[in-house]
């Protein structure tokens, strides 16, 4: 019981790093002796000191119990191995929620602790920790970024009315929540049509996230977005670097890139093959994975979201639903593109929050 309480606290602490640690995991640690919490730590941002080292650095006591949400590392990376400090501080027992699937750790951390006479327990609350760190676990296990599809719809699943007007679709409260959702991800993705029609900034409004770096990924199959158009996506490149993907059937002549006038050499512009649903999404995810982008929030439009559905390349769906019925044959339905998916999408976990004006549905596969 006591173990569970402190382990839960370690997992809760890990969440303080939400949005800043990727592609590394969120990790929390708690040091306890004789039923008293001596210190805590969490991984604040990518490249910073690890959670368990942060907690142990602050104390001199020996014979403690260390609670960590993830198996400690045992490698020299950006920081020295955490197993070293656990041994040095003569920790008596280590309780871990999840073993680390990272091939440079993968059970070796636990082995080293045991070989040094430290009692090790692991596996309790593994599901909870994996759920919170689903981006990290998906990266390592599927070798691609975590993909979340997000859309705003009416109760009857319409994206827009017949005039293609969707601006009014979700009210301000839901729109603000939807905007801040971007902070949980490494990148947001949309299509060139949305960029041309809405000229979105694709940034995070809330000042709380002014230090958060977020990549903007634009699927521009025909290379139609020109820098001269002064679209908002060409601004604020430092905090929000913009990457473009174009079909390799299009000659590499019309440069969109921010840094150079030659699209061919641009580190921001990629040319990929086509698939039956548009640009080859597998190739795009491969490029982004190599660029260390570990999670993507796909914000539409409808065609793009449906391409990911058809290709079965997604891990989560988030629907912002207004309590309105749009009706009409000419209004645009969200799930109305492409062929029927051969099997319905089932979710292993779902969550629904109700607001005055609507609902947020979050389903993980
Ligand atoms: C973290 N924070 O609190 C723990 C991690 O890139 P490095 O050198 O910082 O190492 C990252 C790996 O270390 C990470 O993928 C995971 O396997 C392990 N543990 N990482 O960023 C932490 N405990
Ligand atoms: Zn470590």
């Amino acid at each position: 019981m006591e173990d569970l309480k402190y382990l839960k606290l370690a997992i809760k602490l890990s969440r303080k790093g939400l949005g800043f640690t990727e592609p590394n995991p969120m990790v929390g640690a708690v040091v306890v002796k004789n039923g008293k919490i001596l210190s805590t730590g969490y991984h604040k941002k990518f490249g910073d000191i690890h959670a368990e080292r942060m907690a142990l650095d602050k104390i001199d006591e020996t014979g403690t119990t260390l609670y960590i949400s993830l198996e400690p590392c045992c490698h020299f990376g950006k920081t020295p191995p955490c197993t070293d400090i656990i041994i040095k501080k003569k920790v008596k027992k280590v309780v871990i929620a999840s073993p680390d699937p990272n091939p440079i750790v993968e059970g070796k951390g636990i082995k080293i602790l045991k070989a040094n006479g430290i009692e090790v327990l692991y596996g309790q609350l593994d599901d909870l920790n994996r759920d919170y760190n689903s981006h990290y676990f998906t990266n390592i296990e599927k070798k691609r970024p975590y993909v979340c599809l997000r859309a705003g719809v009416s109760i009857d699943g319409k994206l827009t009315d017949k005039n293609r007007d969707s601006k009014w679709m979700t009210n301000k409260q839901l729109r603000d929540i939807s905007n801040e959702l971007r902070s949980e991800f490494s990148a947001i993705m949309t299509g060139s049509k949305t960029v041309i029609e809405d000229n979105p900034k694709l940034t995070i409004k809330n000042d709380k996230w002014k230090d958060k770096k977020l990549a903007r990924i634009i699927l521009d199959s025909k290379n139609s977005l020109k820098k001269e158009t002064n679209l908002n996506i060409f601004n604020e490149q430092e905090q929000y670097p913009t990457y473009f993907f174009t079909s390799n059937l299009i000659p590499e002549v019309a440069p969109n890139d921010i840094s150079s006038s030659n699209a061919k050499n641009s580190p921001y512009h990629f040319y990929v093959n086509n698939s039956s649903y548009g640009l080859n999404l597998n190739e795009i995810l491969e490029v982004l994975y190599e660029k260390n982008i570990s999670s993507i929030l796909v914000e539409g439009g409808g065609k793009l979201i449906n391409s990911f559905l058809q290709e079965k390349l997604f891990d989560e769906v988030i629907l912002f639903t207004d309590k309105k019925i749009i009706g009409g044959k000419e209004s645009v339905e969200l799930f109305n593109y492409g062929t029927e998916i051969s099997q319905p999408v089932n979710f292993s976990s779902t969550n629904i929050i109700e607001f005055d004006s609507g609902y947020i549905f979050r389903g993980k596969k």
Side-chain angles (χ1 to χ4, degrees):
M1 272 318 275
E2 285 287 282
D3 279 355
L4 213 57
K5 183 174 95 182
Y6 296 124
L7 200 53
K8 223 177 235 169
L9 178 62
I11 293 175
K12 195 174 159 203
L13 278 167
S14 75
R15 295 287 285 177
K16 290 175 100 175
L18 182 67
F20 290 106
T21 65
E22 293 195 358
N24 281 355
M26 291 180 273
V27 185
V30 177
V31 186
V32 176
K33 191 173 179 181
N34 300 328
K36 207 176 138 225
I37 295 174
L38 301 182
S39 77
T40 61
Y42 71 98
H43 185 52
K44 276 191 181 157
K45 64 173 200 300
F46 178 77
D48 262 19
I49 180 171
H50 290 181
E52 51 274 57
R53 187 170 285 277
M54 180 179 174
L56 288 169
D57 267 349
K58 296 187 234 173
I59 59 150
D60 292 319
E61 283 84 345
T62 58
T64 58
T65 300
L66 170 68
Y67 296 87
I68 355 173
S69 57
L70 189 73
E71 175 181 0
C73 70
C74 47
H75 67 289
F76 282 92
K78 288 176 207 70
T79 57
C82 290
T83 44
D84 282 4
I85 190 156
I86 296 172
I87 295 163
K88 190 176 143 210
K89 294 275 172 158
K90 297 191 168 52
V91 173
K92 197 169 135 215
K93 179 174 150 189
V94 176
V95 183
I96 298 161
S98 307
D100 188 352
N102 187 345
I104 44 171
V105 185
E106 224 186 0
K108 292 192 274 291
I110 292 174
K111 229 177 184 171
I112 291 170
L113 297 183
K114 283 185 173 167
N116 280 274
I118 298 168
E119 184 189 350
V120 184
L121 299 176
Y122 61 91
Q124 277 200 92
L125 301 180
D126 177 38
D127 283 354
L128 178 68
N129 184 53
R130 282 181 70 94
D131 184 42
Y132 282 173
N133 273 294
S134 47
H135 300 185
Y136 176 71
F137 284 95
T138 299
N139 280 190
I140 296 201
E141 290 165 2
K142 296 190 176 162
K143 301 209 175 349
R144 62 158 173 80
Y146 183 90
V147 175
C148 175
L149 311 177
R150 190 231 67 167
V153 288
S154 61
I155 279 281
D156 52 341
K158 307 284 189 184
L159 274 174
T160 69
D161 65 11
K162 67 173 194 285
N163 301 317
R164 303 291 188 264
D165 185 2
S166 63
K167 282 242 163 73
W168 51 273
M169 188 60 84
T170 49
N171 86 336
K172 186 173 179 321
Q173 186 187 26
L174 290 188
R175 278 206 312 272
D176 286 349
I177 296 172
S178 173
N179 181 274
E180 203 160 344
L181 180 68
R182 292 172 178 169
S183 64
E184 288 182 29
F185 294 82
S186 295
I188 41 178
M189 179 186 281
T190 197
S192 55
K193 194 162 163 264
T194 305
V195 171
I196 291 164
E197 282 173 6
D198 301 345
N199 190 17
K201 286 189 181 154
L202 302 179
T203 57
I204 308 170
K205 276 191 278 177
N206 193 329
D207 246 14
K208 191 174 135 201
W209 300 99
K210 63 180 184 337
D211 297 325
K212 156 95 187 166
K213 201 166 177 175
L214 179 75
R216 299 178 285 198
I217 300 157
I218 316 294
L219 302 199
D220 181 18
S221 63
K222 297 193 176 66
N223 209 358
S224 51
L225 301 175
K226 306 286 181 289
K227 203 182 170 196
E228 309 79 76
T229 53
N230 289 324
L231 289 163
N232 285 324
I233 49 150
F234 291 109
N235 301 328
E236 301 179 75
Q237 290 304 321
E238 191 124 337
Q239 191 181 356
Y240 302 102
T242 309
Y243 297 94
F244 298 92
F245 284 87
T246 295
S247 164
N248 56 16
L249 298 175
I250 302 286
E252 299 177 30
V253 286
N256 303 336
D257 76 281
I258 306 103
S259 63
S260 107
S261 60
N262 182 353
K264 219 172 197 169
N265 299 330
S266 167
Y268 296 99
H269 206 139
F270 302 92
Y271 288 81
V272 294
N273 286 307
N274 282 36
S275 78
S276 34
Y277 307 110
L279 293 178
N280 187 315
L281 298 177
N282 272 302
E283 268 183 53
I284 292 172
L285 293 187
E286 222 171 275
V287 171
L288 296 173
Y289 179 70
E290 267 167 33
K291 294 197 78 61
N292 266 340
I293 287 180
S294 60
S295 61
I296 304 167
L297 180 66
V298 181
E299 296 201 351
K303 189 165 171 271
L304 181 59
I305 287 182
N306 278 271
S307 306
F308 276 98
L309 274 175
Q310 301 282 344
E311 300 272 16
K312 298 195 172 55
L313 272 178
F314 64 100
D315 305 285
E316 186 174 355
V317 174
I318 302 184
L319 294 179
F320 287 76
T321 308
D322 252 15
K323 290 177 183 168
K324 286 189 185 96
I325 292 175
I326 305 302
K329 281 201 189 91
E330 288 169 57
S331 50
V332 181
E333 276 175 27
L334 171 58
F335 300 115
N336 194 24
Y337 293 83
T339 52
E340 214 164 288
I341 26 183
S342 48
Q343 282 185 332
V345 175
N346 292 311
F347 298 100
S348 64
S349 72
T350 56
N351 179 281
I352 297 177
I353 307 171
E354 182 172 2
F355 294 84
D356 287 347
S357 66
Y359 306 91
I360 301 176
F361 167 87
R362 229 174 150 150
K364 287 189 174 182
K365 277 220 299 177

